[in-house]
């Protein structure tokens, strides 16, 4: 029997609820960017002015977040004149959510006609040339995990049954991001993100294998959201904070506490870069 899928009606209800909470603002204050903030990076939303904050539990059909280090809140506000819809916290497959639930917020953004999506995460490095504290622009991803948020009946209003994945991390935006990093003097790597469903960290053999396959970093998020963003024709940028060396690369075990702490240390650099990218991207 097919699993129960999110319906367009549920997405409409949630998106209309969110819109109603910002309806006192004028048409030109419709968000232009959706942001998903990963572990330790949620404080970016503190930069916003004229904020409206909505708990995930208030939004019809929205799942609620359970992971330590992830707040469950949507914040809509201005960053230097650009209106952003920021998710402080996200849903992970390993928490028990379906791929549909994991990507429900992105469906809402798309329903609200938000054209641009920035997705961030904490990731382990599979690449010996990276170190904790580095930022990696995601050039592409590898997902050999069988489940997909697009499995089941297609929602034609969003995109086609068989969607193109030749440029999910929009090339034009990656070029812009690299220029911003250069201008700020921030060292930005660019690489391939490998999706594991988790919640176990990888074995050393898995890390060796995905290195051979072309991965530079590994994590348990982002890819489902990017697939749904790309399906809906959104321009997408993905940014990984390298919080640790993946299993077997440095010989040290991977611990969640270290991941959270490392996320904290790159926060300032991350915020400077994302802020600059948003302002330049908005000019396109
Ligand atoms: N593996 C998977 N996910 C992660 C890691 C890792 O090493 N670090 C942060 N998220």
């Amino acid at each position: 029997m097919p699993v129960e899928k999110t319906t367009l009606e549920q997405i409409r209800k949630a998106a209309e609820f969110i819109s109603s909470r910002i309806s006192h603002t004028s048409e030109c204050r419709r968000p232009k960017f959706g942001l998903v903030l990963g572990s330790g990076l949620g404080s970016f939303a503190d930069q916003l002015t004229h904020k409206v904050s909505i708990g995930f539990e208030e939004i019809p059909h929205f799942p609620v977040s359970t992971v330590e280090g992830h707040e469950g809140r949507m914040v809509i506000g201005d960053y230097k004149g650009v209106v952003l819809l920021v998710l402080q916290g996200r849903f992970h497959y390993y928490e028990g959510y379906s791929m549909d639930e994991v990507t429900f917020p992105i469906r809402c953004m798309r329903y609200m006609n938000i054209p641009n999506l920035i997705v961030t995460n904490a990731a382990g490095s599979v690449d010996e040339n990276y170190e904790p504290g580095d930022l990696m622009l995601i050039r592409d991803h590898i997902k050999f995990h069988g489940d997909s948020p697009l499995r089941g009946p297609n929602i034609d209003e969003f995109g086609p049954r068989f969607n193109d994945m030749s440029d999910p991390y929009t090339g034009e935006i990656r070029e812009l991001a690299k220029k911003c990093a250069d201008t700020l003097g921030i060292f930005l790597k660019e690489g391939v993100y490998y999706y594991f469903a988790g919640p176990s960290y990888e074995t050393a053999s898995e890390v060796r294998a995905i290195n051979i396959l072309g991965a530079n970093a590994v994590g348990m998020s982002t890819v489902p959201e990017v697939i749904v963003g790309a399906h809906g024709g959104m321009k997408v940028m993905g940014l990984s904070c390298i919080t640790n060396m993946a299993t077997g690369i440095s010989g040290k075990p991977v611990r969640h506490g270290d991941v959270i702490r490392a996320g904290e240390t790159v926060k300032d650099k991350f915020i400077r870069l994302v802020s600059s990218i948003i302002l330049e991207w908005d000019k396109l």
Side-chain angles (χ1 to χ4, degrees):
M1 225 197 37
V3 288
E4 203 171 305
K5 291 289 291 179
T6 298
T7 62
L8 189 59
E9 184 58 15
Q10 290 169 330
I11 297 163
R12 183 184 66 75
K13 278 209 180 107
E16 285 179 356
F17 175 84
I18 300 162
S19 298
S20 76
R21 292 288 298 270
I22 50 173
S23 61
H24 58 282
T25 59
S26 66
E27 174 66 10
C28 66
R29 288 205 65 233
R30 263 215 335 244
K32 211 165 157 190
F33 289 84
L35 271 83
V36 183
L37 299 177
S39 308
L41 306 172
S43 64
F44 177 75
D46 300 342
Q47 313 278 315
L48 305 188
T49 57
H50 306 102
K51 273 183 274 200
V52 174
S53 179
I54 312 173
F56 286 166
E57 71 288 350
E58 296 177 63
I59 308 172
H61 306 293
F62 232 70
V64 276
S65 169
T66 62
V67 174
E68 192 196 329
H70 287 257
E71 296 146 276
R73 208 172 336 135
M74 178 182 289
V75 183
I76 300 158
D78 280 45
Y79 181 73
K80 300 194 177 168
V82 187
V83 184
L84 312 179
L85 184 158
V86 179
L87 294 183
Q88 278 184 318
R90 58 145 62 90
F91 309 107
H92 299 87
Y93 191 74
Y94 63 73
E95 292 177 87
Y97 297 111
S98 67
M99 284 288 184
D100 250 20
E101 290 171 311
V102 168
T103 55
F104 190 80
I106 313 300
R107 292 291 200 194
C108 294
M109 290 176 189
R110 175 61 182 75
Y111 192 94
M112 294 168 71
N113 285 322
I114 298 176
N116 305 315
L117 177 63
I118 296 179
V119 194
T120 68
N121 59 50
S125 178
V126 173
D127 188 324
E128 283 179 358
N129 298 315
Y130 291 15
E131 52 184 58
D134 281 346
L135 295 178
M136 185 188 93
L137 183 64
I138 305 179
R139 182 183 340 115
D140 205 355
H141 70 232
I142 302 174
K143 177 182 86 68
F144 289 152
H145 176 79
D147 203 352
S148 164
L150 303 181
R151 177 168 177 258
N154 185 53
I155 305 181
D156 297 332
E157 286 80 355
F158 287 127
R161 164 77 295 182
F162 299 106
N163 65 304
D164 175 54
M165 287 295 281
S166 58
D167 191 27
Y169 302 85
T170 315
E172 177 193 15
I173 307 303
R174 280 187 283 119
E175 290 313 310
L176 179 147
K178 286 186 266 187
K179 281 197 191 116
C180 290
D182 271 357
T183 307
L184 293 169
I186 291 175
F187 187 55
L188 182 63
K189 308 250 186 188
E190 187 180 18
V192 175
Y193 178 90
Y194 193 102
Y195 174 78
F196 266 101
S200 306
Y201 289 118
E202 303 69 38
T203 65
S205 303
E206 285 166 341
V207 169
R208 266 198 307 278
I210 67 175
N211 184 304
I212 292 167
L213 290 177
N216 301 95
V218 57
M220 306 175 194
S221 67
T222 301
V223 167
E225 291 110 313
V226 169
I227 290 173
V228 164
H231 178 247
M234 297 173 88
K235 282 190 179 175
V236 179
M237 187 193 77
L239 201 56
S240 291
C241 286
I242 302 297
T243 51
N244 59 284
M245 302 311 280
T247 313
I249 300 283
S250 70
K252 283 206 301 194
V254 182
R255 298 188 206 281
H256 183 60
D258 295 340
V259 169
I260 298 290
R261 273 188 294 280
E264 284 290 315
T265 61
V266 287
K267 206 168 62 182
D268 290 348
K269 182 165 73 167
F270 167 84
I271 289 175
R272 279 196 296 131
L273 180 60
V274 171
S275 314
S276 150
I277 292 170
I278 288 171
L279 296 180
E280 290 305 313
W281 186 345
D282 185 53
K283 292 182 196 158
L284 293 181

